[in-house]
């Protein structure tokens, strides 16, 4: 089993930021982990594929999102968007794909 991990640290400006993965050969998305620098920061997040289709929407979270119950086929490049961040904050991101 091979695990591909995309790790990034991004800073929201005007409540939004994003990060793009490298090309995923093919696998199963197993974990989405987003943690704000401040545990009271409220934010939304979604995952968009290379055809600009929103394939997952996590809605509002406070401080952290850790979805490790996800099991979604993944292939290609994905963009993780963080929106509606209040206040602007720095986020650490981990996307885990089992190949």
């Amino acid at each position: 089993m091979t695990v591909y991990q995309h790790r990034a640290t991004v800073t929201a400006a005007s409540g939004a930021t994003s990060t793009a993965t490298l090309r995923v050969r093919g696998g199963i998305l197993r974990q989405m982990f987003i943690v704000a620098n401040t545990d009271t920061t409220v934010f939304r997040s979604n995952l968009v594929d290379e055809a600009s289709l929103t394939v997952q929407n996590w809605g509002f979270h406070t401080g952290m999102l850790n979805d490790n119950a996800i099991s979604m086929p993944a292939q290609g490049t994905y963009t993780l968007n963080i929106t509606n961040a209040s206040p602007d904050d720095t986020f650490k991101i981990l996307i885990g794909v089992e190949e």
Side-chain angles (χ1 to χ4, degrees), residues 5 29 36 40 45 47 60-61 64 69 73 75-76 99:
Q5 291 185 339
L29 178 64
T40 57
S45 57
L47 191 66
F60 283 100
H61 289 274
M64 178 179 72
Q75 182 176 7
E99 294 184 334

Side-chain angles (χ1 to χ4, degrees), residues 29-95:
L29 178 64
R30 294 291 188 188
Q31 183 176 26
M32 179 62 62
F33 182 70
I34 304 168
V35 61
N37 193 41
T38 307
D39 61 357
T40 57
T41 299
V42 177
F43 63 94
R44 293 183 68 164
S45 57
N46 65 46
L47 191 66
V48 177
D49 71 7
E50 60 192 16
S52 300
L53 179 66
T54 300
V55 295
Q56 186 71 35
N57 189 351
W58 285 277
F60 283 100
H61 289 274
T62 301
M64 178 179 72
L65 162 71
N66 187 12
D67 184 355
N68 56 9
I70 192 167
S71 182
M72 181 184 87
Q75 182 176 7
T77 303
Y78 291 87
T79 301
L80 175 70
N81 297 303
I82 296 174
T83 58
N84 300 100
S86 178
D88 284 343
D89 205 344
T90 300
F91 296 85
K92 291 182 181 175
I93 298 166
L94 168 68
I95 301 171

